[in-house]
Amino acid sequence: MNPLREGLQRQRVPEPCAMVIFGASGDLAHRKLIPAIYSLAHEGSLPPYFALVAVAVSDFTTESFREDMKKAVQEFSRHRPVNEAVWNNLAAGIHYIKGDFKEDSTFQQLGVLLKKIDVERGTKGNRLFYLSTNPSLFEIIPAQLKANGLTSGVGWRRIVIEKPFGRDLATAQKLNAHLQAIFGESEIYRIDHYLGKETVQNILVLRFANGLFEPIWRNQFIDHVQITVAETLGVGSRAGYYEEAGAVRDMMQNHMMQLLALIAMETPISLKAEQIRNEKVKVLQALRPILAKDVKSSTVRGQYSRGYMDGAPVKGYREETNVSPKSVTETFSCVKLFIDSWRWSGVPFYLRHGKRLAKKGTEISIFFKRSPDILFNAADSETPVDQNVLTIRVQPDEGVSLRMEAKVPEQQLQIQSVKMDFRFGGSSPEAYERLLLDTMIGDATLFIRHDEAEQSWAFFDPILAAWREDGGRPLPQYAAGTWGPKEAEQLLTNEARKWRRL
Ligand code: BG6
């Protein structure tokens, strides 16, 4: 284990609590939440007195749910093989309630069970509610918790809400108002798992723990910034959700806006949650709105068609199960935006994301301005030089690299780009481990505040509206396994720039 992390965790002992996962029989709980809880148990980071109540509509008993979750841990945990003693201890505190979220009886049963658990497991009335359900239940469950007396009493209450947080500004505002009528803002944890990724947290360290970067982190020295989140996966079995969402709602409005905010924010006056969130929201407030007339020239969307991934043929998006053959849901999007602040005035930020692209990778690249066109870049020079580029690789292969120009040894004067590359190495904890622990500790630094969610929607609403205006016109297609539609390349070549190759 990373000694720095170990050191930090020793100071971060969560209080006893009972965690309640609504929608616990779903994919997220299976692949991420339960394996993360097991990892925390394995590392001794869970509260000393802990219990987990799973509430869902599926046909499990406590026994069969425990068995199913053991399989999930065996398959998805980063601590394998499963340690029987650790699992048995954790499993003894796992309970399952089968119930309909619209029925009071489900919540009454939950209330009785939680009281019993407090006595048996010493969880002291502290409750962590986790909504891992379909978003249509994000208002119903908190209302049911309140109506059935589960939001008051001894101990603390916290609620974690999964994404998507609304589907536009109006729905996000409505959801915020609804939640804030039941919980205090400090009790609401809007989760964005990208913030739990080690390298994303490292952005703050890279920027503010090094004297080198901050002075040049501004428009005087930076030409432009590229943020890419490329996935090789297609829509898989999630078409029901994805058809309604698309690339902007699924990835850009949340994960990519968070990356942007961390890269572009001003120096916070401390590392306290509120200070960091204040600075992030200012970036979002300073985004220059993209007007309807500019949507075409500042954005690109696309849809994958048939192609090859790792040499094997794959379907086009419109041929996937549960996708309409006339679908106009984007599986690729790219946006050019500006932050109208003193620091970033005139610096374009290019964001792109797509499914079924050529390679999986999330990275942020800062392209610095070229050296003056005098010695090496002069018009008649035979030794043109490239820009310096600082790349933060969020995943996979987490690290940072810096592209520099250097003389080729022994040649008279030939210049070539070289890369200084640093890999973080080691086995990073899963994003959900860090974030779940933070919710138990009560640290909201890596969670999204109400105004961040709203500001981000305020930026994307006009783009989505302009796309809607286009009606059912087919989207630009790109073959699966390529880098997206040619329009995305064009967006940059029009400005004499190029996407960085991952
Ligand atoms: C989720 C999206 O939030 O993030 C998925 O809903 C996407 O569509 C996933 O595949 C990507 O997460 P990661 O951690 O694999 O980059």
Side-chain angles (χ1 to χ4, degrees), residues 447-466:
F447 293 81
I448 298 175
R449 204 168 61 187
H450 63 104
D451 45 355
E452 290 181 69
E454 293 182 13
Q455 280 299 331
S456 177
W457 278 121
F459 175 74
F460 282 106
D461 264 11
I463 299 176
L464 293 167

Side-chain angles (χ1 to χ4, degrees), residues 167 231 235 241-253 299-304 317-318 323 326-335 353-355 457 460 463-465 467-468 471 473-478 485:
R167 56 174 288 108
E231 294 190 283
V235 70
Y241 152 76
Y242 200 83
E243 271 284 84
E244 292 297 311
V248 161
R249 289 193 173 90
D250 187 46
M251 296 290 291
M252 273 200 172
Q253 183 275 339
T299 71
V300 173
R301 54 191 170 141
Q303 214 173 42
Y304 63 82
Y317 180 68
R318 288 173 160 200
V323 172
K326 292 190 175 153
S327 170
V328 287
T329 300
E330 80 283 358
T331 60
F332 178 97
S333 56
C334 137
V335 174
H353 159 65
K355 294 215 178 276
W457 278 121
F460 282 106
I463 299 176
L464 293 167
W467 286 355
R468 242 185 346 261
R473 203 167 323 147
L475 302 187
Q477 303 284 302
Y478 59 97

Side-chain angles (χ1 to χ4, degrees), residues 32 162-163 193-194 197 229-231 233-234 238 241-242 250-251 254-255 353 355 360 362 395 431-432:
K32 299 285 181 189
E162 264 297 334
K163 62 172 266 272
H193 80 278
Y194 264 58
K197 291 183 190 277
V229 179
E231 294 190 283
L233 290 177
R238 298 166 73 221
Y241 152 76
Y242 200 83
D250 187 46
M251 296 290 291
N254 35 66
H255 306 322
H353 159 65
K355 294 215 178 276
K360 178 173 168 69
T362 296
Q395 63 184 25
Y432 276 99

Side-chain angles (χ1 to χ4, degrees), residues 127-333:
R127 316 269 187 254
L128 178 64
F129 300 117
Y130 198 113
L131 304 194
S132 170
T133 62
N134 186 301
S136 61
L137 295 161
F138 287 178
E139 290 191 15
I140 294 170
I141 295 172
Q144 287 283 41
L145 288 171
K146 183 169 168 67
N148 291 286
L150 286 156
T151 54
S152 53
V154 184
W156 50 252
R157 304 284 179 275
R158 291 177 197 142
I159 185 155
V160 188
I161 320 269
E162 264 297 334
K163 62 172 266 272
F165 195 86
R167 56 174 288 108
D168 53 22
L169 176 58
T171 48
Q173 283 170 329
K174 182 166 170 274
L175 182 53
N176 270 332
H178 181 84
L179 291 171
Q180 287 169 336
I182 299 172
F183 294 93
E185 175 63 21
S186 64
E187 295 171 323
I188 305 171
Y189 289 72
R190 298 171 194 79
I191 200 164
D192 183 313
H193 80 278
Y194 264 58
L195 291 177
K197 291 183 190 277
E198 278 289 309
T199 315
V200 174
Q201 293 159 49
N202 233 320
I203 295 173
L204 291 184
V205 180
L206 185 82
R207 286 192 58 194
F208 304 123
N210 292 295
L212 176 65
F213 298 119
E214 212 34 39
I216 56 170
W217 211 259
R218 59 194 66 251
N219 56 3
Q220 266 171 287
F221 301 99
I222 293 178
D223 174 66
H224 74 280
V225 177
Q226 297 184 9
I227 305 182
T228 295
V229 179
E231 294 190 283
T232 48
L233 290 177
V235 70
S237 57
R238 298 166 73 221
Y241 152 76
Y242 200 83
E243 271 284 84
E244 292 297 311
V248 161
R249 289 193 173 90
D250 187 46
M251 296 290 291
M252 273 200 172
Q253 183 275 339
N254 35 66
H255 306 322
M256 295 187 75
M257 281 292 117
Q258 288 296 319
L259 297 181
L260 174 78
L262 289 170
I263 282 292
M265 73 184 202
E266 295 299 321
T267 319
I269 58 169
S270 80
L271 289 176
K272 294 217 165 70
E274 282 323 294
Q275 301 303 347
I276 292 181
R277 289 160 22 144
N278 285 346
E279 296 308 332
K280 281 197 298 163
V281 82
K282 281 191 217 161
V283 173
L284 302 173
Q285 284 164 343
L287 289 175
R288 184 185 304 167
I290 297 184
L291 305 175
K293 70 175 178 48
D294 298 324
V295 168
K296 271 215 168 68
S297 58
S298 300
T299 71
V300 173
R301 54 191 170 141
Q303 214 173 42
Y304 63 82
S305 55
R306 282 181 199 182
Y308 290 85
M309 302 297 305
D310 286 333
V314 295
K315 289 181 185 169
Y317 180 68
R318 288 173 160 200
E319 301 165 316
E320 302 270 20
T321 317
N322 295 330
V323 172
S324 153
K326 292 190 175 153
S327 170
V328 287
T329 300
E330 80 283 358
T331 60
F332 178 97
S333 56

